[in-house]
Amino acid sequence: MKILVAIKQVPDTATQMKLGADGKTIDPTGITWIVSPYDEFAVEEALRIKEKRGQGEVVAVSLGPDRVKEALRSCLAMGCDRAIHLNDPAWGAADTLMTARALAAVVKQEAPQLVLCGRQAIDDDMGALPAQLGELLGWPSAYWIMEEAVDADGKTVRVARQVEGGLEVFDLPLPAIVTAQKGLNEPRYPTLKGIMGAKKKELKDVKAADVGLAAEAPQLSITALEALPPRPPGRIIQGDLPTAVKELVRSLREDAKAI
Amino acid sequence: MRAFVDKEVTPHVAEWEAAGRIPRSFWKRLGELGFLGLEFPTEFGGAGGDFLASIVLGEEMARCRSGGVAFSVLVHTDMSSPWLTRYGTEAQQRKYLPGIVAGETVCALGITEPGTGSDMAALTTRAVRHGDVYRITGSKTFITNGVYGDLYFLAARTGSGTAQRRHEGISMFLVERGLPGFTVSRKLDKTGMRASDTAELAFQDCPVPAENLLGVEGRGFQQLAAGLQRERTMAAVLALAAASQALEDTVAYLRERHAFGEPLAQRQALRHRIADLATDLEAARALVYHAAMLYAAGEECVKEVSMAKLFATEVANRVAYQAVQMHGGYGYMREFPVEGFARDVRLWTIASGTSEIMREIIARRIFE
């Protein structure tokens, strides 16, 4: 069974974000780039499906500039068999729909039975891509999956989707698109053997023309970015203990509306 | 590696420090992830990496804020088990390596004796051949992983040296826990490194199978000496990485702690002190990496390794003193990691060759 995992490279969660001089982009200096954590769940699940079935191929794919190779290498180190890097200046300002079109073109070429993604990337939190990809391909799709089981014949996948207070269970005919929610699995760490082996695996550069796409303009563009307002300073409540406690409770209830 | 340490090591170190040991399940987890066999051949479950991979292991483990956890792990991976691949027969490697790599067989190095520290040639534990066993009698002390270990890389005398060649006649043995006549006589109580267990061991006519002689009989001193450069480089790495973590913790503290209406990070005296320590650490890092590269390339490196060990461990102790000082009263409290670091790092100018011995080695290479 062939599985395609679409991943995105995002700034590390611990990074202190700074706005670029143009006010529309993030200043990239000092950023550590990682595979978006939800996408790691997707990679892990794809590897588990392959391991459970004892055969198959897991292909990682990502769109972005040269630095994205590093993210794809770490997917290879985790155990993906090969990787595809959609790397073309034509995609420099890609919005989710352009990215979905590029991915749909790759999916048509690769013809996997299953596409796995994270439920959303943790940088811009759009979460739009899997649905757009499903629409473009005409494939069934299920999001925020906590459990999955591909049947023995590889014809359907049973997925359990997180909803308020419970799980919603679906059977999807394959091929299908499934997105991973936190809790689906615990991603493995790449081993040294995996890291060394990753250097020998195929990482293919793909241009827009290679998948038959002409240049297009994004429908979505960023007008401005704003930094979060600085955190207001803490407040020390003066007075003797009984009065201070009363004031604290009042403030938590009325000012902060926390209780 | 860093993600693993953040998620699965750091949250537990307080518990392990209090318990005075790291749990067996942690050794197995390290084994499962391949961290215990970075340099061992892939046929025995190793990763086939080089010394620089082990340096990364040491650097990242030391950032868990427990010197003892890092020390125990690196004694197993770098200060004992590598002798097995360097001098062990194929049968010995086949027998012991898979367990070592899997974290089922925890290793310790047994050289130091109550009367024998830096002067290794003075060791008196004896191994006498009787048919197909060597009977070992004597005692060992300060043995890291010694209380709960499984396999001891033990140095003992199989012959007596001469006045001019005192180091002749020492041999190395692979001694399994549980042999008759082998007892852990004491679990030692230490200032720091509390998560790693340290033992005093007693041997009374302990029969070690002759096939467990490691390397060449009588050449133990030379064999051990050849491994010292690895051990000392690793000691420097552990001290350096822990000190880097402590400095980061101190910088974070200075940003947060307010006095006289502003964060301590605004006080010039403290800022300049941090600048000096960061500079010292950077210099130490450059020297340690230089020594490690020489060692990894198989080049002559005794002087550079001794310098790196001396400089990095002394810088780390300067960082410890100042990190505690800049934390004020909190630096003296158990709940702040710099307190533990200051106790742990004190060991490093003593263990794996004291600063005095390092200076002696460097001086000898300058004057002779």
Side-chain angles (χ1 to χ4, degrees), chain A residues 69 72 82-86 109-110 202-206:
Chain A
K69 287 211 165 51
L72 287 169
R82 59 191 171 87
I84 298 171
H85 183 191
L86 299 165
Q109 282 189 352
E110 290 284 331
E202 179 189 297
L203 201 174
K204 195 167 75 176
D205 251 355
V206 170

Side-chain angles (χ1 to χ4, degrees), chain A residues 186-187 189-193 196, chain B residues 4 7-8 29 33 38 46 48:
Chain A
E186 190 60 47
Y189 306 104
T191 60
L192 179 64
K193 220 187 291 183
M196 311 238 282
Chain B
F4 164 72
K7 261 195 262 175
E8 298 187 36
R29 181 76 180 129
L33 296 172
L38 291 178

